[in-house]
Amino acid sequence: MSIREECGVFGVLSEKPMDVAGISYYGLYALQHRGQESCGIVVGEDGLFFSHKDLGLVNEVFTKDILQQFPKGTMAVGHVRYGTTGATNRNNCQPIEVNHQKGRMALAHNGNLCNAEVLRNELELNGAIFHSTSDTETIAYIITKERLKTNSIEEALSRAMNVLEGAYSLVLMSPQKLICARDPYGFRPLCFGRRADGAYVVASESCALQAVGANFIRDVEPGEILVFSRDGMVSRREHCGTKKKHLCIFEYIYFSRPDSVIDGISVHKARLRAGEILAKTYPTEADIVIGVPDSGLDAALGYSQASGIPYGIGLIKNKYIGRTFISPGQDARIDQVKIKLSAVEESVKGKRVIMIDDSIVRGTTSGRIVKLLRDAGAKEIHVRISAPPFLHPCYYGTDIDSEDHLIACHHSETEICQMIGADSLGYLPMESLRELSGNCYYCNACFSGAYPTEIPKDTGKNRFEQKLSEIHKINGEERSSKHENL
Ligand code: SF4
């Protein structure tokens, strides 16, 4: 419930100039669940780029006036951001734009590099000056450096992929081409499709293709580079198969939208399956099965179908809570969970309730939801979690960044059950995860500790800000590391 997802990327290329900014707007709107801190669109037309980026939700940043200021174009790249590295400030908004001797580039990135600090140090020692604190600028620098030595942007990207380590799904735009790439592990999803008017569309999730009227063609393969231009599409596969695929299993459990299909598996069906497994693993007598909105709902339905216990709506989410929600101050000490969720008394009063949620991180939110249900009159509350316990941090683009914050690292299941005030607690067994991914290889490192890459030394979300802060301290400056325009 309190893990936040990383980012969403989008791209479009058409033969003739059209409203590619409008198409990107709808695509980003469909990907809003992947990031609510900031968003941006860069439109390309005849070698020129036109961009707008800002902090806020897609419909806040892209007003009608702003969208009308974009010219028609043949290409666009878009991004929604939840920063897993780098502070929330305008400098970290994407897509990143770079001008270089051979042209220009706009880049949107989803994921986290494991070797970002090493690469950035090397670049800085060679004179590079960074404007943001996100990994994406490091990627942009390396591609640009290679572009100056190669004949094409796709060759430069391929060379950059030799040194990038970690999670990255990229969409980038040069004056003539739209290019996308997925890291060789395939940590983050990426797919593409085509509209009836012939425009190619690339997106983090298939739900965004549907939103802009594009037919899904296929997922981008781990390690694959796809180059779209007026001449059609070319696939480069020199990085395919160089690593074992490790799609983030949490994309199915929580991050992605249930109407998306990732690597051939429906997210909705994967969640139903998780619910079925929970029902078989923890058969429990109860009157109603409810899900914690949104990602617990599908698993609750699966639990209900497998157990025969009726499915019901026991919790309602305030749909209008977004990034802009702020605590009004000390005098209004209202439990924020109560602002986001409320219990449906008519559903749960006097009942034995099975409550399905996607995860327990610190335990505080789960405890508050259990209390909401108790206050609404639930007689028993049996909590079932559609993932195994979090025991390790994630280095691939989520904000699970410290074992100190993970309740399962410090307490047994019995203790956690007592701490959250539930009558019983059950997690999805580790060995069941493969059933969610269609028996493919997947990353489960936050549950198992089996990392497919080397673990980065400095992993904090604001690691580059911390470094800058140290430099300022050494220089005797009192500058805040959270200053908006470093
Ligand atoms: Fe996903 Fe966990 Fe792997 Fe991170 S560590 S990529 S959250 S499965």
Side-chain angles (χ1 to χ4, degrees), residues 13 75 77 151-154 172-179 227-230:
L13 176 135
M75 281 185 285
V77 174
N151 290 329
S152 69
I153 182 79
E154 57 268 32
L172 61 103
M173 184 171 83
S174 73
Q176 304 298 335
K177 294 170 188 165
L178 179 77
I179 299 172
V227 185
F228 303 93
S229 70
R230 286 182 183 174

mmCIF file of all heavy atoms in Angstrom, residues 13 75 77 151-154 172-179 227-230:
data_model
loop_
_atom_site.group_PDB
_atom_site.id
_atom_site.type_symbol
_atom_site.label_atom_id
_atom_site.label_comp_id
_atom_site.label_asym_id
_atom_site.label_seq_id
_atom_site.Cartn_x
_atom_site.Cartn_y
_atom_site.Cartn_z
ATOM 1 N N LEU A 13 5.357 7.965 -33.326
ATOM 2 C CA LEU A 13 5.945 8.432 -34.579
ATOM 3 C C LEU A 13 4.923 8.228 -35.697
ATOM 4 O O LEU A 13 4.352 7.145 -35.841
ATOM 5 C CB LEU A 13 7.212 7.641 -34.914
ATOM 6 C CG LEU A 13 7.847 7.990 -36.277
ATOM 7 C CD1 LEU A 13 9.353 8.136 -36.141
ATOM 8 C CD2 LEU A 13 7.531 6.916 -37.315
ATOM 9 N N MET A 75 6.695 13.265 -34.375
ATOM 10 C CA MET A 75 7.172 12.425 -33.276
ATOM 11 C C MET A 75 6.921 13.121 -31.939
ATOM 12 O O MET A 75 6.884 14.356 -31.883
ATOM 13 C CB MET A 75 8.683 12.226 -33.383
ATOM 14 C CG MET A 75 9.125 11.213 -34.373
ATOM 15 S SD MET A 75 10.901 10.997 -34.255
ATOM 16 C CE MET A 75 11.480 12.464 -35.045
ATOM 17 N N VAL A 77 7.837 12.276 -27.470
ATOM 18 C CA VAL A 77 8.244 11.412 -26.361
ATOM 19 C C VAL A 77 7.626 11.993 -25.099
ATOM 20 O O VAL A 77 7.608 13.219 -24.921
ATOM 21 C CB VAL A 77 9.790 11.382 -26.225
ATOM 22 C CG1 VAL A 77 10.206 10.609 -24.995
ATOM 23 C CG2 VAL A 77 10.433 10.770 -27.445
ATOM 24 N N ASN A 151 27.942 6.619 -36.287
ATOM 25 C CA ASN A 151 27.196 7.164 -37.424
ATOM 26 C C ASN A 151 25.697 7.274 -37.191
ATOM 27 O O ASN A 151 24.990 7.843 -38.012
ATOM 28 C CB ASN A 151 27.427 6.291 -38.668
ATOM 29 C CG ASN A 151 28.844 6.452 -39.158
ATOM 30 O OD1 ASN A 151 29.435 7.525 -39.006
ATOM 31 N ND2 ASN A 151 29.400 5.385 -39.698
ATOM 32 N N SER A 152 25.204 6.654 -36.133
ATOM 33 C CA SER A 152 23.750 6.707 -35.919
ATOM 34 C C SER A 152 23.441 6.713 -34.431
ATOM 35 O O SER A 152 24.244 6.243 -33.607
ATOM 36 C CB SER A 152 23.068 5.502 -36.577
ATOM 37 O OG SER A 152 23.412 4.329 -35.876
ATOM 38 N N ILE A 153 22.265 7.207 -34.122
ATOM 39 C CA ILE A 153 21.844 7.272 -32.719
ATOM 40 C C ILE A 153 21.626 5.868 -32.158
ATOM 41 O O ILE A 153 21.942 5.596 -31.004
ATOM 42 C CB ILE A 153 20.565 8.167 -32.583
ATOM 43 C CG1 ILE A 153 20.122 8.313 -31.123
ATOM 44 C CG2 ILE A 153 19.416 7.660 -33.413
ATOM 45 C CD1 ILE A 153 20.913 9.296 -30.340
ATOM 46 N N GLU A 154 21.146 4.934 -33.004
ATOM 47 C CA GLU A 154 20.914 3.580 -32.494
ATOM 48 C C GLU A 154 22.238 2.854 -32.202
ATOM 49 O O GLU A 154 22.320 2.057 -31.266
ATOM 50 C CB GLU A 154 20.028 2.761 -33.443
ATOM 51 C CG GLU A 154 20.508 2.616 -34.856
ATOM 52 C CD GLU A 154 19.963 3.705 -35.777
ATOM 53 O OE1 GLU A 154 19.749 4.829 -35.287
ATOM 54 O OE2 GLU A 154 19.769 3.434 -36.975
ATOM 55 N N LEU A 172 13.566 7.245 -26.804
ATOM 56 C CA LEU A 172 14.295 8.454 -27.159
ATOM 57 C C LEU A 172 13.998 8.866 -28.593
ATOM 58 O O LEU A 172 13.547 8.061 -29.402
ATOM 59 C CB LEU A 172 15.793 8.291 -26.904
ATOM 60 C CG LEU A 172 16.569 7.224 -27.647
ATOM 61 C CD1 LEU A 172 17.369 7.858 -28.754
ATOM 62 C CD2 LEU A 172 17.505 6.540 -26.675
ATOM 63 N N MET A 173 14.249 10.125 -28.837
ATOM 64 C CA MET A 173 13.864 10.720 -30.111
ATOM 65 C C MET A 173 15.044 11.539 -30.627
ATOM 66 O O MET A 173 15.633 12.332 -29.893
ATOM 67 C CB MET A 173 12.678 11.646 -29.821
ATOM 68 C CG MET A 173 12.043 12.304 -30.988
ATOM 69 S SD MET A 173 10.520 13.119 -30.437
ATOM 70 C CE MET A 173 11.139 14.663 -29.802
ATOM 71 N N SER A 174 15.423 11.300 -31.875
ATOM 72 C CA SER A 174 16.406 12.148 -32.555
ATOM 73 C C SER A 174 15.604 12.954 -33.581
ATOM 74 O O SER A 174 14.401 12.752 -33.714
ATOM 75 C CB SER A 174 17.467 11.275 -33.229
ATOM 76 O OG SER A 174 16.907 10.655 -34.366
ATOM 77 N N PRO A 175 16.228 13.841 -34.350
ATOM 78 C CA PRO A 175 15.425 14.608 -35.311
ATOM 79 C C PRO A 175 14.674 13.729 -36.321
ATOM 80 O O PRO A 175 13.638 14.122 -36.829
ATOM 81 C CB PRO A 175 16.475 15.486 -36.002
ATOM 82 C CG PRO A 175 17.522 15.692 -34.955
ATOM 83 C CD PRO A 175 17.587 14.395 -34.222
ATOM 84 N N GLN A 176 15.165 12.507 -36.596
ATOM 85 C CA GLN A 176 14.534 11.665 -37.622
ATOM 86 C C GLN A 176 13.935 10.370 -37.104
ATOM 87 O O GLN A 176 13.182 9.716 -37.821
ATOM 88 C CB GLN A 176 15.571 11.295 -38.713
ATOM 89 C CG GLN A 176 16.263 12.465 -39.377
ATOM 90 C CD GLN A 176 15.287 13.358 -40.122
ATOM 91 O OE1 GLN A 176 14.209 12.919 -40.541
ATOM 92 N NE2 GLN A 176 15.634 14.631 -40.268
ATOM 93 N N LYS A 177 14.296 9.953 -35.901
ATOM 94 C CA LYS A 177 13.931 8.598 -35.461
ATOM 95 C C LYS A 177 13.340 8.591 -34.051
ATOM 96 O O LYS A 177 13.729 9.400 -33.197
ATOM 97 C CB LYS A 177 15.174 7.702 -35.453
ATOM 98 C CG LYS A 177 15.758 7.453 -36.828
ATOM 99 C CD LYS A 177 17.111 6.775 -36.699
ATOM 100 C CE LYS A 177 17.804 6.690 -38.039
ATOM 101 N NZ LYS A 177 19.226 6.384 -37.903
ATOM 102 N N LEU A 178 12.447 7.627 -33.850
ATOM 103 C CA LEU A 178 11.970 7.312 -32.501
ATOM 104 C C LEU A 178 12.564 5.944 -32.167
ATOM 105 O O LEU A 178 12.440 5.003 -32.957
ATOM 106 C CB LEU A 178 10.440 7.238 -32.489
ATOM 107 C CG LEU A 178 9.811 6.887 -31.141
ATOM 108 C CD1 LEU A 178 9.828 8.107 -30.222
ATOM 109 C CD2 LEU A 178 8.387 6.392 -31.309
ATOM 110 N N ILE A 179 13.208 5.853 -31.009
ATOM 111 C CA ILE A 179 13.911 4.619 -30.658
ATOM 112 C C ILE A 179 13.498 4.201 -29.252
ATOM 113 O O ILE A 179 13.323 5.046 -28.367
ATOM 114 C CB ILE A 179 15.441 4.845 -30.699
ATOM 115 C CG1 ILE A 179 15.842 5.237 -32.128
ATOM 116 C CG2 ILE A 179 16.210 3.598 -30.274
ATOM 117 C CD1 ILE A 179 17.268 5.657 -32.270
ATOM 118 N N VAL A 227 13.988 0.666 -33.724
ATOM 119 C CA VAL A 227 14.186 1.969 -34.368
ATOM 120 C C VAL A 227 13.016 2.210 -35.313
ATOM 121 O O VAL A 227 12.797 1.440 -36.252
ATOM 122 C CB VAL A 227 15.507 1.978 -35.178
ATOM 123 C CG1 VAL A 227 15.770 3.374 -35.731
ATOM 124 C CG2 VAL A 227 16.671 1.504 -34.318
ATOM 125 N N PHE A 228 12.243 3.272 -35.049
ATOM 126 C CA PHE A 228 11.104 3.628 -35.894
ATOM 127 C C PHE A 228 11.469 4.889 -36.691
ATOM 128 O O PHE A 228 11.992 5.846 -36.120
ATOM 129 C CB PHE A 228 9.863 3.933 -35.058
ATOM 130 C CG PHE A 228 9.449 2.796 -34.158
ATOM 131 C CD1 PHE A 228 9.903 2.724 -32.846
ATOM 132 C CD2 PHE A 228 8.611 1.797 -34.617
ATOM 133 C CE1 PHE A 228 9.529 1.688 -32.009
ATOM 134 C CE2 PHE A 228 8.228 0.747 -33.792
ATOM 135 C CZ PHE A 228 8.686 0.695 -32.484
ATOM 136 N N SER A 229 11.185 4.836 -37.982
ATOM 137 C CA SER A 229 11.419 6.018 -38.810
ATOM 138 C C SER A 229 10.412 5.987 -39.959
ATOM 139 O O SER A 229 9.592 5.067 -40.037
ATOM 140 C CB SER A 229 12.845 6.025 -39.361
ATOM 141 O OG SER A 229 12.973 4.995 -40.322
ATOM 142 N N ARG A 230 10.504 6.958 -40.841
ATOM 143 C CA ARG A 230 9.584 6.957 -41.983
ATOM 144 C C ARG A 230 9.771 5.719 -42.860
ATOM 145 O O ARG A 230 8.906 5.361 -43.641
ATOM 146 C CB ARG A 230 9.778 8.221 -42.815
ATOM 147 C CG ARG A 230 9.183 9.405 -42.081
ATOM 148 C CD ARG A 230 9.298 10.681 -42.846
ATOM 149 N NE ARG A 230 8.760 11.758 -42.022
ATOM 150 C CZ ARG A 230 8.799 13.010 -42.332
ATOM 151 N NH1 ARG A 230 9.347 13.400 -43.455
ATOM 152 N NH2 ARG A 230 8.275 13.916 -41.538
#
